[in-house]
Amino acid sequence: LPTPVTQPQSEVPADFLDIATLVPQAQVRMAYLGSNNFVGTKVDGYEANKCYLQQSAAQALVQVQQAAEAKGYTLWIFDCYRPQRAVNHFMRWAGDLNDTATKARYYPNLDKDKLVGEYIAEKSGHSRGSTIDLTLAAKDNSGNWRPIDMGSAFDMFDPISNVGAAGISAAQQANRQLLEDLMQAAGFKVYSMEWWHFTHQPPVYTDRYFDFIVQ
Ligand SMILES: C[C@@H](N)C(=O)N[C@H](C)C(=O)O
Ligand SMILES: [Zn+2]
C-alpha cells in the first residue's frame, strides 16, 4: 500500500479553487475559523473565511448551487479543504479527555474517546480537497438566509446525525434527502455517519494530505 503523504506547502495548489470565485451565492461560514465549534476555539490552519476545494469538486458545486436555487435554497458551507494541521489540532483536543467544555452541545450522548474514527477522522478526506460539509438555507421573513431544519445541528456527533436516523420528523428527513439528492446528482456521496459530509467521486487525491493555510 502507498504511504500517505502529508503535503507541507505554503501556496494553494494550482488545482484548488476558492469557491467564492465559482459559487459567489453560497453562504460560506467556515466553522473552525472561530470558536463556535466542537473544539471551542479557533482551529489551527484557518485564517480566512474561504472554502477551497479541488477543482473537480469545486466545479461540481456550481451545479448543486444552481439546482438548490431553482428550489428556492442556497448552499450554506461549514467546512471544505481542511489543513492537516487542523486535523492534528482536532486530535490534540480529542486526546484531552479532561476537556469536556463542548460536550453538552456537540456529543451529549457519547464519551469523548468514542469520537475519533466515526465522527472525526485522524486522516480526513477534507485534507485531500474533495470533501465538503454543508447544508441548505432558505430565506426567513426578513430576507436573511437561514439553515433549514435537518433534525440535528452541524457537528452534532450523535446517532441522530446518521443518514437514515430514527427520531427525526418526516420534514427533517425530507430536508436531508433533498440535500443528498442535490449533491448526489452532481457526483457527491454522503457519509453515512454525518448527513452534512459529502465527498466528490472519484476523489482526485487518494493518499495526499494537504497542509497549506486557509488564507
Ligand atoms: C468533524 C466533522 N465535521 C467531519 O468532517 N468528520 C469527518 C469524519 C472527518 O473528519 O473527515
Ligand atoms: Zn466533514
Side-chain angles (χ1 to χ4, degrees):
L1 283 177
T3 309
V5 175
T6 298
Q7 198 78 17
Q9 60 188 111
S10 51
E11 300 296 313
V12 179
D15 63 337
F16 277 57
L17 298 175
D18 177 352
I19 277 299
T21 64
L22 286 179
V23 194
Q25 313 92 321
Q27 300 289 305
V28 177
R29 308 292 160 92
M30 297 294 281
Y32 308 125
L33 176 63
S35 57
N36 194 18
N37 60 60
F38 68 88
V39 176
T41 60
K42 175 193 161 316
V43 175
D44 291 353
Y46 292 92
E47 300 295 342
N49 187 44
K50 287 188 180 174
C51 164
Y52 286 102
L53 288 176
Q54 200 283 332
Q55 64 184 4
S56 301
Q59 281 155 2
L61 211 62
V62 176
Q63 178 187 332
V64 185
Q65 175 68 32
Q66 286 170 350
E69 278 181 18
K71 292 180 177 293
Y73 299 100
T74 197
L75 302 184
W76 184 287
I77 296 173
F78 301 111
D79 195 31
C80 302
Y81 153 72
R82 178 184 303 163
Q84 181 61 41
R85 71 191 74 193
V87 175
N88 297 346
H89 192 165
F90 289 174
M91 292 304 114
R92 287 199 304 278
W93 172 84
D96 181 2
L97 298 180
N98 292 320
D99 172 9
T100 53
T102 65
K103 179 174 175 58
R105 182 161 169 205
Y106 290 100
Y107 52 104
N109 301 310
L110 288 178
D111 289 337
K112 192 175 181 184
D113 65 359
K114 299 293 183 297
L115 301 181
V116 172
E118 291 187 328
Y119 290 100
I120 307 170
E122 208 162 346
K123 287 288 185 184
S124 175
H126 283 280
S127 305
R128 298 192 287 246
S130 297
T131 297
I132 182 168
D133 291 341
L134 83 172
T135 190
L136 296 170
K139 283 207 166 148
D140 66 14
N141 292 337
S142 308
N144 298 313
W145 291 110
R146 300 282 176 217
I148 63 173
D149 184 1
M150 294 292 191
S152 70
F154 168 65
D155 275 357
M156 167 57 83
F157 303 133
D158 191 271
I160 201 168
S161 297
N162 299 169
V163 172
I168 63 172
S169 72
Q172 292 163 340
Q173 176 52 37
N175 286 345
R176 289 187 188 186
Q177 192 63 56
L178 174 60
L179 176 63
E180 186 178 337
D181 289 347
L182 293 171
M183 293 294 282
Q184 197 170 36
F188 289 89
K189 187 171 185 293
V190 71
Y191 174 48
S192 62
M193 301 299 288
E194 298 175 339
W195 59 257
W196 57 80
H197 177 108
F198 293 85
T199 299
H200 191 249
Q201 305 295 321
V204 171
Y205 295 104
T206 53
D207 62 353
R208 286 172 66 173
Y209 296 88
F210 291 89
D211 197 30
F212 63 92
I213 292 175
V214 177
Q215 58 189 356

